[in-house]
Amino acid sequence: MSTAREQPIFSTRAHVFQIDPATKRNWIPAGKHALTVSYFYDATRNVYRIISIGGAKAIINSTVTPNMTFTKTSQKFGQWADSRANTVYGLGFASEQHLTQFAEKFQEVKEAARLAREKSQDGGELTSPALGLAAHQVPPSPLVSANGPGDEKLFRSQSADVPGPAERERLKKMLSEGSVGEVQWEAEFFALQDSNNKLAGALREANAAAAQWRQQLEAQRAEAERLRQRVAELEAQAATEQPSASEKEGSQALEQLEALVQTKDQEIQTLKNQTGGPREAVDATEREETQHKVQDLETRNAELEHQLRATERSLEEARAERERARAEVGRAAQLLDVRLFELSELREGLARLAEGTP
């Protein structure tokens, strides 16, 4: 077929389907991707065709006749029956606007085909009805212009005979069954699309949760490391304080003070025993000196007792401080155990999430 004889007058992109010849219910896709679908006008034969090329063969080679009907079965899907090819063609468009444009062009081409048939039957002068079509002119498709003489047979049509009533009923039935199959296919498509959207949303939520868990895991690791360092510091401090220098000094001072008190008590008792003897044997001066010594010893004894009580208080405070340090170490160790347990739970959760993510 030469490009001078047959030229595209309108082209669009759509997914091409054919009715299953076995079931007459389901659609069979012509390919995974959208194809170029064009209206062609053959000026020599004065006929119109709908042609779509896929690979090295014609997926659609349908001659438009006045009795054909293009039916919109959804917002983006339309179909028509071709009795010569004994099939029903379906087109899935990217938008409702593309479907409307194709349907309007189908009506124009169908009307032009009717006028061409009437003029042919009347024997009048044949003119090119394609010149009056409000077509979207596009450059010839490479798939069309590349066809050589050997491919010309793909675009030759049979005579545009009007089918009989029985044929029309059969085509109506095929069209109805094709509509049902297309609705089922579209419902399955939307169900799969909805399921895919839900899975994508769940995957995004899982990724967000995993990112949050990773942040919590890093925070828990930092907190556990800080607590581990604090426990080590407290344990080192408690180890250095166990026999602390202040406590040792306090104990030694306490022992010395107790020994000194005992010594002074003995001296006082001795002096008292001496003053309690026969008065005639003791001189009055010696008694006074002895009394002064007793008073001095009692004053010194009171001071020593005061120092002893102060030393005991210091010792008790040192012991209390050591107990507080031990309690703080215990609390820190418990908190560290809790953090380590939470850390292990986070690790298990991340492992389960990693196993469940595709």
Side-chain angles (χ1 to χ4, degrees), residues 276-346:
R279 293 185 180 181
E280 57 276 5
V282 182
D283 189 72
T285 304
E286 292 179 353
R287 284 200 301 270
E288 291 178 359
E289 291 177 357
T290 302
Q291 288 176 356
H292 285 303
K293 288 181 180 181
V294 169
Q295 291 176 357
D296 292 338
L297 289 173
E298 288 178 350
T299 302
R300 180 61 179 167
N301 189 29
E303 292 177 355
L304 291 174
E305 289 179 353
H306 179 71
Q307 291 179 2
L308 178 61
R309 286 193 294 271
T311 303
E312 288 177 347
R313 284 196 299 272
S314 299
L315 183 60
E316 291 297 328
E317 290 176 357
R319 289 176 178 172
E321 182 66 24
R322 187 175 62 184
E323 292 298 328
R324 284 196 296 272
R326 288 177 179 175
E328 187 175 357
V329 170
R331 287 193 298 272
Q334 292 178 357
L335 183 58
L336 178 61
D337 292 338
V338 172
R339 296 301 185 188
L340 290 176
F341 178 73
E342 293 177 353
L343 182 62
S344 64
E345 285 187 341
L346 283 174

Side-chain angles (χ1 to χ4, degrees), residues 16 59 115 156 228 243 295 310-311 319 339 347:
V16 180
I59 304 301
L115 294 175
R156 293 177 181 172
R228 189 179 290 108
Q295 291 176 357
T311 303
R319 289 176 178 172
R339 296 301 185 188
R347 286 177 178 172

Side-chain angles (χ1 to χ4, degrees), residues 19-35:
I19 201 70
D20 188 354
T23 63
K24 303 295 183 181
R25 292 180 179 274
N26 301 323
W27 289 108
I28 299 176
K32 296 181 180 179
H33 306 287
L35 301 175

Side-chain angles (χ1 to χ4, degrees), residues 19 21 24 81-89 167 170-171 174:
I19 201 70
K24 303 295 183 181
D82 189 340
S83 59
R84 293 164 185 78
N86 193 25
T87 188
V88 178
Y89 294 106
E167 183 68 14
R170 188 177 68 82
L171 290 176
M174 289 174 60

Side-chain angles (χ1 to χ4, degrees), residues 37-39 48-52 60-62 64 80 102 106:
V37 182
S38 303
Y39 286 95
Y48 295 87
R49 304 174 191 270
I50 300 174
I51 296 174
S52 178
I60 301 177
N61 185 13
S62 177
V64 180
W80 78 96
F102 188 88
F106 193 96

